[in-house]
Amino acid sequence: MARKATFYHAGCPVCADAETAFAQALDKDAFDVEIVHLGEDKSRLREAEAAGVKSVPAFVIDGRAYHINFGADLAALK
Amino acid sequence: MARKATFYHAGCPVCADAETAFAQALDKDAFDVEIVHLGEDKSRLREAEAAGVKSVPAFVIDGRAYHINFGADLAALK
């Protein structure tokens, strides 16, 4: 069964770049990738924070947060 | 032709975790992934720095650096 990978972003240039480099590059046979725009879908902020996301762009894979470079602080999206 | 992705690390726990999550998760049909241990192969430090790597673990894909979380500053490996 595919592992779930959630990519959180906010439409920033750093986010778009990371999405191209990683979110579209993960092995599709191994990962079920969901892309969440936290600027447009603020209802997902709580879940991102609970997984340890501090800034975007970030992935959550197997319940762990992986921040890729720095686009925006999560606090700026509230 | 596969794109080149270089994963720089230094054997730290954060590095090992990122390697499992990403280096082994990229689409093998799309990426030729090279894994470089900068603690053991200091001759690669210059090339990593030139690509913009400031800390490990980090990927360089298409000449751009992507830092994943923070394991160690590059300066600590010199």
Side-chain angles (χ1 to χ4, degrees):
Chain A
M1 202 176 79
R3 289 155 73 197
K4 176 77 183 285
T6 308
F7 179 71
Y8 295 100
H9 74 109
C12 56
V14 173
C15 297
D17 190 42
E19 183 178 337
T20 303
F22 289 98
Q24 299 174 6
L26 293 179
D27 185 342
K28 299 295 185 294
D29 293 334
F31 286 94
D32 174 16
V33 181
E34 183 187 13
I35 295 176
V36 177
H37 190 315
L38 286 176
E40 294 176 350
D41 192 355
K42 292 179 192 294
S43 69
R44 305 289 297 269
L45 275 167
R46 186 187 299 257
E47 134 209 327
E49 275 190 315
V53 175
K54 308 281 188 209
S55 61
V56 288
F59 274 95
V60 173
I61 297 177
D62 296 338
R64 295 186 193 210
Y66 298 94
H67 303 89
I68 298 180
N69 292 343
F70 181 83
D73 198 283
L74 219 61
L77 303 173
K78 292 181 182 176
Chain B
M1 202 175 80
R3 290 156 72 197
K4 177 78 182 287
T6 308
F7 179 71
Y8 295 100
H9 73 109
C12 56
V14 173
C15 297
D17 190 41
E19 184 178 337
T20 303
F22 288 98
Q24 299 174 5
L26 293 180
D27 185 341
K28 298 296 184 292
D29 293 332
F31 286 93
D32 174 17
V33 181
E34 184 189 12
I35 296 177
V36 178
H37 189 315
L38 287 176
E40 294 175 349
D41 191 355
K42 291 180 192 295
S43 68
R44 305 289 297 270
L45 275 168
R46 186 189 298 258
E47 134 210 328
E49 274 189 314
V53 174
K54 309 281 189 210
S55 63
V56 288
F59 275 95
V60 172
I61 298 177
D62 297 338
R64 296 187 193 210
Y66 298 95
H67 303 89
I68 298 180
N69 291 342
F70 181 84
D73 197 284
L74 219 60
L77 302 174
K78 292 183 183 177

